[in-house]
Amino acid sequence: MPGGSGAEVVAMLVSGPLAPYFWTEIVGCAACAVICFVPALRTNTLLVIGSLLAIAGIFCKRVQLLVGGFQIANLDYAGPLTSMQHTAWDSGLSGIYGGMVYWPTPLEFGVTLGVVALGFLIFFLGLKFLPLRPAEEASPSK
């Protein structure tokens, strides 16, 4: 349906201020996929170019998420903050919000520890099972 919900987001990506990032991501990822899937193109130089295109695509996606989130307001704007709205206004905003400190919950610590542990597990399994030898030992001697 033309002009439906989300059309302004698509227009912003395809032809608006985020268009260079969007098209760089699309074209770069397509070129990276072609380089990876066509065996004749898997030279060291093209694989490095494909890797750089993938990194650039990830950067462009992050820019779209961060900057695009600020382009379209999805909440009404907050009203003015006055001394009549908060009881701790005596010391200003620091009195209202100064005591708020973020500290991760035990669940967040556990997830972080699990991700780090998984990384170590994969690394050590790779060291154990991959045939990692110097080039002199790996080549058959004559």
Side-chain angles (χ1 to χ4, degrees):
M1 162 168 119
S5 177
E8 66 273 1
V9 175
V10 174
M12 181 178 57
L13 285 175
V14 175
S15 61
L18 295 177
Y21 297 103
F22 177 75
W23 291 114
T24 301
E25 176 193 1
I26 297 298
V27 172
C29 289
C32 181
V34 168
I35 290 170
C36 290
F37 292 136
V38 176
L41 296 177
R42 289 186 205 150
T43 63
N44 285 340
T45 305
L46 287 178
L47 287 175
V48 168
I49 290 171
S51 301
L52 293 174
L53 286 173
I55 292 170
I58 293 168
F59 172 75
C60 289
K61 185 64 174 179
R62 295 293 180 194
V63 168
Q64 290 172 40
L65 289 173
L66 182 65
V67 177
F70 295 115
Q71 298 295 320
I72 298 173
N74 56 1
L75 296 174
D76 292 334
Y77 294 110
L81 187 63
T82 65
S83 61
M84 304 303 257
Q85 295 171 333
H86 293 280
T87 57
W89 183 260
D90 298 337
S91 55
L93 289 175
S94 63
I96 299 170
Y97 301 112
M100 299 177 124
V101 176
Y102 171 76
W103 186 253
T105 64
L107 179 64
E108 291 170 320
F109 276 121
V111 168
T112 303
L113 181 65
V115 169
V116 171
L118 179 64
F120 276 107
L121 176 69
I122 291 171
F123 176 73
F124 287 124
L125 286 175
L127 286 178
K128 182 176 182 179
F129 292 114
L130 291 175
L132 303 173
R133 293 186 198 103
E136 299 84 33
E137 294 179 21
S139 63
S141 58
K142 293 185 180 188

